[in-house]
Amino acid sequence: MGSRLARPTEPSPGPARRTMGSMFRSEEVALVQLFLPTSAAYTCVSQLGELGLVEFRDLNASVSAFQRRFVGDVRRCEELEKTFTFLQEEVRRAGLALHPPEGRLLAPPPRDLLRIQEETDRLARELRDVRGNQQSLRAQLHQLQLHSAVLGRGHRLPLAATPTDGLLERTPLLQPPGGPHQDLRVNFVAGAVEPAKAAALERLLWRACRGFLIASFRETEQPLEDPVTGEPATWMTFLISYWGEQIGQKIRKITDCFHCHVFPFVEQEEGRLGTLQQLQQQSQELQEVLGETERFLSQVLGRVQRLLPPWQVQIRKMKAVYLVLNQCSVSATHKCLIAEGWCATSDLPTLQQVLQDSSSEAGVSAVVHRIPCRDMPPTLIRTNRFTASFQGIVDAYGVGRYQEVNPAPYTIITFPFLFAVMFGDVGHGLLMFLFALAMVLAENRPAVKTAQNEIWRTFFSGRYLLLLMGLFSVYTGFIYNECFSRATTIFPSGWSVAAMATQSGWSDAFLAEHPLLTLDPAVSGVFLGPYPFGIDPVWSLAVNHLSFLNSFKMKMSVILGVTHMTFGVVLGVFNHVHFGQWHRLLLETLPELVFLLGLFGYLVFLVVYKWLFISATGPAPSILIHFINMFLFSRSRTNPPLFTGQEVVQSALVVVALAAVPVLLLGTPLFLRWQHRRRSPRPAGRPLDEDKSGILDSSDASVAGWGSDEEKAGCPGDQEEAEFVLSEVLMHQAIHTIEFCLGCISNTASYLRLWALSLAHAQLSEVLWAMVMREGLRMGRELGVAAVVLVPIFAAFAVLTVAILLVMEGLSAFLHALRLHWVEFQNKFYLGSGYKLSPFTFAEEED
Amino acid sequence: MTAHGLALPMVLFSIFWGLVGFAGPWLVPKGPNRGVIITMLVTTAVCCYLFWLLAIVSQVNPLFGPQLKNDTIWYVLFQWE
C-alpha cells in the first residue's frame, strides 16, 4: 500500500499536491460522470491511468466481452502479447536477461499499434527462421559426425581386408548348413545406434540371424552434441558383416526398427579413407556456416532484448486503457463516451484539470461532474509507509465501511502495547528494537528493496510495527523488572530482610533448620513502601514469586481488558453521531455502557479498592466470592465486606445492568417502527438527511439487498424505506444483544491471555537462564575454565533465545494481540464490510 | 531496604505522562500527519501511565511477603544489610 502522494512527476504542471487526510475515517468519495469526446477518450483515460485517481464502474455489464466496442483493439493487443511471450521465451532460452525499461513510458497512441505490430512480427519471423536454420544445420552436422565416427572407428574386420587377398573375403567362415546357398559374398552394414538400445539390438540380431552375421559394437570416442537438446551424448557404432540377401533384408528391417542411422560402408580401406576426408571437409564447412548462423541469431536476440521491454510496458498500458474504454457507454449522439467512476472529492479539481489538458486538441473538452448516488462508496484511507502496516492489520480483518470510524490510528499504539504486555522483557525487547531499527535505517537501499525472499519481505514490510513492539517491550520489561529473566535494582528494594530477621529472631541456627521463611508485611519495618517503578526486585529472589505475580497480572489483564472494551464502545458513539442516528446513542450505547461498566467496571473498582485500602492486618476479603455472590444475590459469612453498604450497591448494580438488556433488545426496533409509521404514508419526498443513515447502517434497514449487488444497478435507493420488516430488525437486534452481553463476559475472560502469555514468556526465559547460562557461570573456580566453557554455552543461550523466545514467543504474542484487537476490541463498534477504492492505475503493472 | 513513599512517584509520573499526553499535542507541528501523531501521543500516555499505575498500586498494601530460601536470607543479610 504505497503512498500516492509520492508520485513525482505529473504530465501537466500544477494542481496542488494531494494532502493526506486524517486516518480517523474514510475520505469523502464521490460518484462522478465523465464525458469524453471520442477522439480524445484514449488520451484522457491514459492520463488518468498514469495518475490513478478514478475507479471506473462497468456500465456495460450486461454486454458480453465479445460484443463490446473496442474488442478488436483488445484482441490485437493480446495477439501482440502472445508474440511477446514467444520472444521472451527465446531470449530466456538463450540465457540472456530482459532488463526493465528505464523512465516512464506512456501508452502509445492507437496509430502506433500498427508499427509495433509490424516490427514485432518481423522480429518473430526472423527469429523463427534463424532458429529453424540452426536446427537443421546442427542435425546435418550430427549426421556427418556420426558417419565419420562409424567409418573412422577402425572396427576390426572379421576378415583381413587386404586388396590382394580378395579370395579370402569370399571365404565363408562357417560351412553353410548344406544346401543351395551359393551366394556367399560378405556384405557390411555400418551405422550408429543409441547406447541404450545397443544391447537389445545385438540380442535381436543374434536371435534373428544367428550364425549368418557378425556384429561388432564400439562406442564413439568423443561424445557428440545432440542437435535437439544440445547435450553431449555418446553413440554406439556397429559394423555388421553378413552374407545372404535375405539376411541383409532382415538386418535392414531391424536397424530401421531401432531408428539406427545406417551409412554406406565401402570395403576397401582407401575408399573409406577418401570418404572420411570428404566428410571432414564437409563438416568443417558446415561448422563455419553454423557459426555465422549463430552470430546472426545473437544479433537478432540483442535487438529483441533492447526493444522488447518498453514494448511490453506500452502494450500492457494500451490494453488496460482499452479495457477501461470498453466499460464506458456511448452517448446518444455517438460523439462522446460516458464513463462513471468513483473519485475522492479532494481529487476532483485535479481530475478536472487533467481532463481539460488531455482533450485540449480535440476541440470539445472533456467534462466531469458529480452525480448523487445511494450506493455505498468505496473506502479511501491514505497512508504513508509508517501507518501502512497498521492499516494493513485492520484491513486484513475487513475494510471499513464508507466513513465508518477507522480503528487503525489507535491500533498504532495499542497493538504494540498489548504485545508488550505479553512479551515484557528488557533484553528481548531491546533485541527486537535493534533488529527493526536496522531494517528501518536500511530501508532505502536497493539491495534491501528488491530482495525476493518471502519471509524477509514479510518482516521487512512490518519493520515499523516491530520497532514499536520492541520499544514498548522494553518499557513493560522495566515494569515487570525482567531483563533476560534477571531483575534489576534501579532503586533499592522496599522489603527489608534484616528487619524481619531481627524482629523474628532469625539466628543462624534457626535459619539452618528452616529452609524456607516468609517475610511478613504486618511486622513493622519489613515492608517499607512500594517500589517506585515496577515490580520490586525482591520477588525475583522469592520462591513464591508466582503467587504474587499471578495475582498482579490477572488483575492487570482484566483492568486493561475492560478499559480497551469500553474504549471500543465509546468509539461507536462517533459512528452514531456522524450518521445522524441519535436514537442509537440512547438506545444502544447507553445500555451497553451501563451493562459493561455496571458489572465489569464494578469488578475493576473492587480490585483497585482492595489494592488501596485493604492491608495485611486482618483477614482479607476475596473479590472472587463477592463477585459470584453479587450475581446470586447471596452472601457468605466468612467473607468480610470491602466497604460498608457493599451489598446494597452490588444489588442495585445488578438490577440496573439487567434492566439495560431489554432496553438494548427492544429499544431500537420499536423506535424504528414508530419512526416508520410516522412517515410511511408518502414513499416520495423523504427528507434528505436519511441519505447517510440509509447507506450505511445495516442493522437499521432490512438487511437484504445491501452490499455488492447494489453497485451494479446505478442508484436504486428506495428499497429500505418501503421494506421495513419488524421481525427482521428484531432478530438482528436480538443477535446483537446476545452477542454483546455474552461477549462482555467471555471477552473479559479472553483478556486473561495477557496474563497467560506473559507468564509463559517469563517462565521460558527463566528456564533458559537457569539451565543454560547459570550452569556456565557456575563452572569451575579456577581462572580460565569458566571463560572457555562460557563461549559455547553463550552461543547456545543466544541461539535458543532468538529461536524460542524472540521468534516463537514473538509470533505467539503477535497473534494473540491481533486476536484481541480483531475480536474483543473491534466487535464493539466496527463493521468492516466495505471495499477499498482501487483506482485505475498502471502503477502495479510497472512493478 | 529503604523507605519508599507513594506520593513522590505518583506526582512525578503523573506529571510526566500528563505532559506527554496533554502538553505534547500542542507541540506537534502542523502537517498532514498531525492528527495521527496527536492520537499516538495521547494513547501512549494513557497506556503507559495506566500500566505503571497498576504496578505500583498493586504493591502498596501487600497481603503476603516473599518466601525466601535460607541461603538467600544469609546472603542478603551479609551482602546488602
Side-chain angles (χ1 to χ4, degrees), chain A residues 834-846:
Chain A
Y835 63 108
K836 267 203 235 189
L837 178 76
S838 47
F840 170 62
T841 174
F842 300 131
E844 298 90 50
E845 296 158 327
E846 280 177 44

Side-chain angles (χ1 to χ4, degrees), chain A residues 65-123:
Chain A
F66 303 107
Q67 293 168 335
R68 299 201 187 193
R69 193 166 171 195
F70 295 94
V71 65
D73 302 280
V74 173
R75 203 168 284 162
R76 277 161 71 191
C77 290
E78 280 176 352
E79 279 172 15
L80 261 183
E81 284 187 335
K82 267 192 238 160
T83 322
F84 287 159
T85 321
F86 164 70
L87 289 174
Q88 201 173 2
E89 187 55 38
E90 287 293 321
V91 168
R92 193 193 60 80
R93 263 215 304 170
L96 302 168
L98 281 177
H99 304 290
E102 309 281 322
R104 216 171 63 144
L105 301 154
L106 299 176
R111 58 182 174 273
D112 277 357
L113 182 59
L114 200 57
R115 178 182 58 85
I116 296 180
Q117 208 169 11
E118 281 173 4
E119 284 188 29
T120 317
D121 285 339
R122 188 154 47 88
L123 271 179

Side-chain angles (χ1 to χ4, degrees), chain A residues 107-374:
Chain A
R111 58 182 174 273
D112 277 357
L113 182 59
L114 200 57
R115 178 182 58 85
I116 296 180
Q117 208 169 11
E118 281 173 4
E119 284 188 29
T120 317
D121 285 339
R122 188 154 47 88
L123 271 179
R125 225 182 9 249
E126 272 181 24
L127 203 54
R128 255 185 283 249
D129 288 342
V130 171
R131 271 255 180 249
N133 283 348
Q134 192 201 30
Q135 295 283 62
S136 64
L137 285 175
R138 278 218 189 132
Q140 280 180 30
L141 188 62
H142 189 244
Q143 284 287 79
L144 289 178
Q145 284 175 335
L146 269 182
H147 198 174
S148 351
V150 166
L151 289 186
R153 264 321 289 145
H155 288 265
R156 267 189 355 103
L157 289 182
L159 309 164
T162 52
T164 53
D165 214 354
L167 258 185
L168 272 177
E169 292 178 354
R170 293 182 170 77
T171 314
L173 270 175
L174 301 169
Q175 291 297 323
H181 296 283
Q182 294 305 315
D183 184 2
L184 298 174
R185 203 186 124 79
V186 179
N187 296 316
F188 296 93
V189 172
V193 70
E194 286 165 26
K197 299 184 190 165
L201 177 63
E202 197 170 358
R203 252 200 314 275
L204 190 54
L205 282 174
W206 191 74
R207 283 197 195 131
C209 319
R210 183 185 316 207
F212 288 92
L213 63 78
I214 295 171
S216 127
F217 283 78
R218 290 271 162 73
E219 211 174 300
T220 54
E221 279 169 339
Q222 304 146 341
L224 306 171
E225 211 183 87
D226 187 88
V228 175
T229 61
E231 286 167 16
T234 51
W235 286 69
M236 290 289 260
T237 59
F238 58 85
L239 178 67
I240 306 175
S241 34
Y242 66 93
W243 46 96
E245 214 25 66
Q246 287 164 338
I247 302 291
Q249 281 171 7
K250 269 198 213 173
I251 292 179
R252 259 173 241 287
K253 278 197 198 135
I254 293 174
T255 50
D256 275 345
C257 208
F258 275 80
H259 300 291
C260 305
H261 299 274
V262 175
F263 303 106
F265 187 81
V266 179
E267 291 167 16
Q268 287 84 9
E269 189 78 27
E270 300 98 22
R272 285 203 299 279
L273 281 175
T275 325
L276 211 53
Q277 270 172 358
Q278 231 181 1
L279 287 177
Q280 302 276 40
Q281 212 180 1
Q282 275 179 345
S283 81
Q284 232 173 358
E285 285 169 8
L286 206 55
Q287 275 181 339
E288 276 173 24
V289 176
L290 197 56
E292 282 294 328
T293 315
E294 287 185 344
R295 258 193 297 280
F296 184 58
L297 181 64
S298 63
Q299 236 182 28
V300 174
L301 284 176
R303 276 197 355 245
V304 170
Q305 228 184 344
R306 203 171 26 94
L307 292 173
L308 189 59
W311 281 348
Q312 275 180 318
V313 169
Q314 286 177 319
I315 295 300
R316 207 160 31 205
K317 288 192 181 182
M318 186 182 233
K319 183 170 157 195
V321 170
Y322 276 121
L323 286 174
V324 165
L325 285 176
N326 269 342
Q327 292 179 343
C328 308
S329 66
V330 186
S331 78
T333 58
H334 291 273
K335 285 257 198 63
C336 67
L337 291 173
I338 307 179
E340 245 184 50
W342 299 104
C343 179
T345 319
S346 53
D347 286 337
L348 281 180
T350 322
L351 183 59
Q352 190 78 271
Q353 185 68 29
V354 165
L355 284 179
Q356 266 179 7
D357 293 341
S358 310
S359 54
S360 48
E361 61 269 355
V364 185
S365 71
V367 260
V368 58
H369 68 101
R370 227 174 132 160
I371 52 179
C373 187
R374 304 188 58 83

Side-chain angles (χ1 to χ4, degrees), chain A residues 20 384 410 413 417 472 475-476 479-480 492-498 506 508 511 514-519 521 527-530 532-536 539 541-544 548 552 556 559-560 611-612 614-616, chain B residues 1-6 9 13 17 32-33 35-36 39-41 43-44 46-74 76-77 80-81:
Chain A
M20 188 174 98
N384 55 25
Y410 321 104
I413 295 296
F417 177 69
F472 275 96
Y475 179 77
T476 56
I479 302 265
Y480 285 149
S493 168
W495 292 81
S496 169
V497 179
W506 286 357
D508 279 348
L511 285 175
H514 294 86
L516 288 174
L517 287 166
T518 310
L519 295 177
F527 174 66
L528 299 167
F533 188 68
I535 304 286
D536 200 301
W539 289 106
L541 298 170
V543 170
N544 63 345
F548 171 71
F552 160 65
M556 171 216 36
I559 295 178
L560 286 180
W611 271 344
L612 285 176
I614 307 289
S615 59
Chain B
M1 273 160 289
T2 58
H4 296 299
L6 181 59
F13 279 97
W17 288 115
N33 296 326
V36 175
T39 311
M40 281 170 66
L41 280 173
T43 325
T44 311
V46 168
C47 287
C48 292
Y49 181 63
L50 183 63
F51 197 62
W52 167 82
L53 192 64
L54 291 175
I56 195 171
V57 160
S58 68
Q59 294 181 94
V60 163
N61 289 318
L63 297 175
F64 60 94
Q67 190 184 41
L68 301 170
K69 288 201 289 217
N70 52 4
D71 36 9
T72 314
I73 298 176
W74 269 318
V76 170
L77 284 177
W80 286 353
E81 307 191 45

